[in-house]
Amino acid sequence: MSEVNESDRFECVIVNVIDTLMWKGVTVEEVESGGRVYFGKVKPDGFDYVPGDTLYIGMKRLSCDVEDMEMSMEVSLYDADDRRLDWTFL
């Protein structure tokens, strides 16, 4: 397996979009691995995506190692223009 760089983007398909009062909850599935990630605070302004549309994720390994936290990376959701829509920890 090759090393993942912060600038790498991985193609994902939108599986589900949840409309809340202030945000959109978006679940995407990475095309090659089938792994899913949920992003809970995507701003609704300009978000015109539906299930089946393509978005991208990027990953950044966390540099701090906190004993009580099992998170090892920050995963960000991007559109085709490389605009960051939301992020989460894994």
Side-chain angles (χ1 to χ4, degrees):
M1 182 176 182
S2 62
E3 185 174 321
V4 175
N5 294 314
E6 192 174 332
S7 62
D8 291 344
R9 299 289 180 261
F10 300 92
E11 185 176 332
C12 294
V13 174
I14 298 175
V15 175
N16 193 22
V17 178
I18 300 170
D19 241 337
T20 66
L21 295 175
M22 295 182 63
W23 309 100
K24 297 224 184 227
V26 180
T27 303
V28 295
E29 182 175 295
E30 201 272 329
V31 173
E32 287 188 31
S33 71
R36 291 185 177 190
V37 181
Y38 174 74
F39 297 91
K41 288 191 172 182
V42 177
K43 292 181 182 177
D45 301 333
F47 189 89
D48 298 324
Y49 298 98
V50 295
D53 286 349
T54 301
L55 290 175
Y56 302 87
I57 57 172
M59 295 173 234
K60 178 171 85 172
R61 197 165 292 285
L62 297 175
S63 58
C64 62
D65 190 22
V66 180
E67 290 179 25
D68 295 340
M69 298 174 70
E70 294 185 22
M71 297 175 280
S72 62
M73 63 179 50
E74 179 182 312
V75 180
S76 297
L77 182 66
Y78 295 92
D79 65 9
D81 297 324
D82 209 32
R83 187 169 43 115
R84 188 175 179 194
L85 304 174
D86 194 13
W87 59 273
T88 190
F89 290 120
L90 291 182

